[in-house]
Amino acid sequence: MDYNKIIEDIYTKVLREENKGQRAQYIPELAKVNPDRFGIHLMTIDNQGYGIGDYQKPFSIQSIAKVLTLTLLYRRIGSRVWQRVGVEPSGNAFNSLMQLENENGVPRNPFINAGAIVISDMILSEFENPKQQFLDLVRDILDDDTIDFCEAVASSESSVGFRNIALCNYLKSLGNIRNNTAEVLDFYFNICSLKMTCKDLSKAFLYLANSEFKTRKSERVLSLSQAKRVNAIMQTCGFYDESGEFTFRVGLPGKSGVGGGVIAVHPGKYCIAVWSPRLNIHGNSYRGMKFLEQFTTDTKLSIF
Ligand code: DON
């Protein structure tokens, strides 16, 4: 498969077309990013990398980090995770409060904000030094100690994060938050601010394409069965109320973030990261979706 040529051809085609959508306006730091950045990086499970455009520029991975926090907790406590968060698509926006009351404060899945906030609370209960231990896992996966949070983005979101503050307080009132809400939200805003390039991101998710993947400490990240389950949740919930559309158009498990990043995983083959900050109305990267649809069409590689 000539990944270089396919990626280059699609990049050139998408770049020529109109770039639609808006940056994430509700987080002031993200609304300042150059909206026409566009980068792609693919990493195969045997470590062959292919990149084009702004693939070496760091950006805020936002909700993509929710897969990494789920991973941190899942490898520590196993299936106990599912006692406090479900595995069903929500059919609602990522920051919706609607289902929580009817469903007794158990969020539908770990990728909507409510679910990721409950996961954050569970991490606070299970780890001595949660922010550091989260960073340690990501740094061990990437073998790179420069990976870090972005203080400016975390404090920017924290200063206006009223909906997440509401979600966290509401979850607390329904008994599904055990720790201090300010500490839970501090952890949550920090993990969302994690900075990576497309090149980093495509490597960071290899453990989901190849469950034999080992960190620099020679540890597996998840078991085969756990990786299957995380991929399944990405497939059904990774794009919120656009998860069906992503599955229909792209046909791979994936996850988006409001920084404009998208990661898609082809189990047994590769991970591909796309970054383009303009988002559609569901909060998913306009060009990210477009690029990946064309990519799985041209390569004829999807899981379906
Ligand atoms: O909590 C928020 O609203 C953001 N920190 C993350 C949301 C997000 O990335 C949704 N993804 N498309």
Side-chain angles (χ1 to χ4, degrees):
M1 183 72 67
D2 191 348
Y3 286 128
N4 250 339
K5 174 155 176 30
I6 293 173
I7 289 172
E8 198 181 315
D9 287 352
I10 305 172
Y11 173 82
T12 311
K13 177 171 177 279
V14 174
L15 206 55
R16 263 195 251 112
E17 294 166 356
E18 190 191 349
N19 191 6
K20 296 188 188 159
Q22 299 274 331
R23 288 163 291 191
Q25 303 296 333
Y26 71 101
I27 301 175
E29 272 308 294
L30 296 185
K32 290 186 196 161
V33 174
N34 177 344
D36 296 314
R37 291 268 181 232
F38 189 28
I40 294 110
H41 193 269
L42 178 139
M43 189 71 116
T44 65
I45 60 166
D46 42 11
N47 281 312
Q48 303 297 312
Y50 307 86
I52 197 161
D54 296 316
Y55 73 97
Q56 296 187 92
K57 292 217 173 347
F59 62 94
S60 186
I61 73 166
Q62 290 295 318
S63 285
I64 299 174
K66 294 169 180 174
V67 182
L68 301 169
T69 48
L70 172 64
T71 297
L72 177 73
L73 184 67
Y74 199 17
R75 71 202 294 267
R76 168 73 61 109
I77 71 166
S79 57
R80 278 200 290 128
V81 173
W82 316 122
Q83 292 171 0
R84 290 175 54 194
V85 63
V87 295
E88 290 296 337
S90 71
N92 283 322
F94 61 88
N95 53 8
S96 173
L97 284 116
M98 283 200 326
Q99 283 159 346
L100 282 177
E101 181 153 37
N102 283 341
E103 299 182 359
N104 301 317
V106 179
R108 280 278 176 106
N109 67 66
F111 297 154
I112 51 173
N113 288 8
I117 289 170
V118 169
I119 297 288
S120 298
D121 180 62
M122 293 170 89
I123 288 175
L124 258 55
S125 300
E126 294 290 336
F127 292 84
E128 289 268 289
N129 197 348
K131 282 195 257 183
Q132 189 56 48
Q133 286 169 284
F134 172 74
L135 278 182
D136 288 345
L137 174 64
V138 181
R139 289 172 178 175
D140 288 346
I141 290 173
L142 285 173
D143 190 13
D144 181 352
D145 287 324
T146 68
I147 299 293
D148 215 337
F149 303 128
C150 175
E151 175 53 36
V153 171
S155 60
S156 170
E157 183 169 13
S158 165
S159 67
V160 292
F162 303 112
R163 193 170 263 271
N164 285 320
I165 296 167
L167 276 168
C168 191
N169 280 291
Y170 197 37
L171 287 161
K172 177 112 185 158
S173 79
L174 294 167
N176 205 4
I177 294 289
R178 311 281 156 82
N179 296 280
N180 174 292
T181 53
E183 286 170 26
V184 175
L185 287 163
D186 174 67
F187 178 80
Y188 174 77
F189 291 138
N190 270 281
I191 61 100
C192 287
S193 79
L194 196 71
K195 269 184 310 187
M196 280 192 199
T197 65
C198 288
K199 192 173 177 185
D200 299 329
L201 197 54
S202 61
K203 191 174 168 200
F205 275 64
L206 277 184
Y207 70 94
L208 291 172
N210 168 22
S211 76
E212 299 291 316
F213 177 91
K214 303 240 174 34
T215 69
R216 66 179 168 191
K217 289 183 178 148
S218 301
E219 290 172 355
R220 271 174 77 153
V221 181
L222 293 175
S223 69
L224 182 66
S225 157
Q226 288 175 325
K228 176 190 85 173
R229 294 180 198 285
V230 173
N231 277 321
I233 305 170
M234 287 205 292
Q235 187 75 61
T236 51
C237 311
F239 296 78
Y240 316 104
D241 46 343
E242 202 174 28
S243 299
E245 183 81 11
F246 188 81
T247 293
F248 182 77
R249 283 168 51 180
V250 179
L252 294 175
K255 185 75 205 78
S256 62
V258 289
V262 181
I263 180 78
V265 178
H266 195 313
K269 290 199 164 49
Y270 62 75
C271 292
I272 183 164
V274 185
W275 175 44
S276 171
R278 290 187 191 270
L279 310 175
N280 65 21
I281 50 160
H282 303 282
N284 300 320
S285 171
Y286 173 76
R287 277 187 165 164
M289 300 272 289
K290 201 164 197 184
F291 183 93
L292 290 170
E293 178 177 14
Q294 197 62 49
F295 183 75
T296 53
T297 304
D298 291 358
T299 56
K300 302 187 177 63
L301 290 177
S302 98
I303 66 163
F304 297 106

